Amino acid sequence: KAIPFELKSTDNKILSLNDIKGENGTLIMFICNHCPYVKAVIKDIVKDCIEMEKIGINSLAICSNDVKNYPEDSFEKMANFSKENNFNFPYLHDETQEIAKKYGAVCTPDFFGYNSNLELQYRGRIRELKDLKPIRSGESDLLVAMKKVAETGKGPEAQIPSMGCNIKWI
């Protein structure tokens, strides 16, 4: 089950999981601003989240990185990153890293796709990358999986783990 939380969004609102939960599913992404893997797929992430919204799946992103040693992931820069990339979903700051630890997030990007009952159904990649460039042959693995979750409440049997930078722990 998805773990409840309350975190500050880049528009200075405290949001909970219940505030964001989608009718047919919820996608929780652990990302950050500086990771080359996130930068490589950020346009795909935004595009997929727009498509998911149309089928009743709400999305949110969480940044849990150590901002002292990685100032590019600061709250202020998160707000800029969100605007620059036209996020259609909340971008939340996990300052204490408590939520990333509770979810078992390990990298950026790390995707957790839940059904309408907030049961985990997808923990995979967005799409294949080669030399930090997305392989765009058809819909992304993430979008295909989350469409299945919206329709059936279940994720795909085969799931390829996400690849990225490790979360920068304090």
Side-chain angles (χ1 to χ4, degrees):
K1 285 286 239 183
I3 296 148
F5 58 78
E6 286 190 346
L7 294 170
K8 186 165 124 180
S9 70
T10 53
D11 56 1
N12 285 311
K13 293 179 185 162
I14 301 296
L15 296 176
S16 73
L17 177 58
N18 283 336
D19 294 331
I20 301 165
K21 181 181 184 269
E23 181 184 339
N24 294 322
T26 305
L27 176 66
I28 298 174
M29 305 170 275
F30 288 85
I31 68 169
C32 70
N33 309 332
H34 88 272
C35 172
Y37 290 90
V38 171
K39 288 179 178 181
V41 296
I42 196 64
K43 287 182 181 8
D44 296 283
I45 288 172
V46 172
K47 183 175 161 266
D48 283 2
C49 289
I50 290 168
E51 291 305 309
M52 284 184 251
E53 194 172 33
K54 294 175 187 174
I55 57 171
I57 294 177
N58 288 348
S59 304
L60 66 108
I62 299 172
C63 182
S64 300
N65 274 0
D66 170 12
V67 299
K68 191 173 177 186
N69 290 309
Y70 296 87
E72 196 175 332
D73 293 330
S74 72
F75 185 77
E76 296 74 25
K77 292 194 176 173
M78 284 173 57
N80 292 340
F81 190 72
S82 173
K83 284 184 190 119
E84 288 164 8
N85 290 289
N86 300 309
F87 283 13
N88 65 314
F89 49 83
Y91 193 17
L92 309 175
H93 189 213
D94 179 18
E95 190 174 0
T96 65
Q97 301 184 320
E98 176 187 354
I99 303 308
K101 288 176 182 167
K102 285 184 176 179
Y103 273 81
V106 293
C107 66
T108 57
D110 206 349
F111 301 97
F112 294 76
Y114 294 89
N115 63 17
S116 60
N117 297 320
L118 293 174
E119 299 161 332
L120 184 63
Q121 298 299 317
Y122 187 70
R123 177 91 189 272
R125 68 183 184 186
I126 185 165
R127 63 172 61 245
E128 183 181 358
L129 292 177
K130 184 174 174 124
D131 301 323
L132 283 176
K133 293 191 179 14
I135 306 298
R136 290 192 177 88
S137 54
E139 292 182 319
S140 75
D141 295 6
L142 177 65
L143 185 56
V144 169
M146 293 310 292
K147 281 182 175 180
K148 182 174 175 153
V149 169
E151 291 166 10
T152 68
K154 299 275 185 218
E157 291 290 320
Q159 300 185 13
I160 300 168
S162 189
M163 196 165 76
C165 299
N166 63 316
I167 289 181
K168 308 307 184 210
W169 301 107
I170 296 171

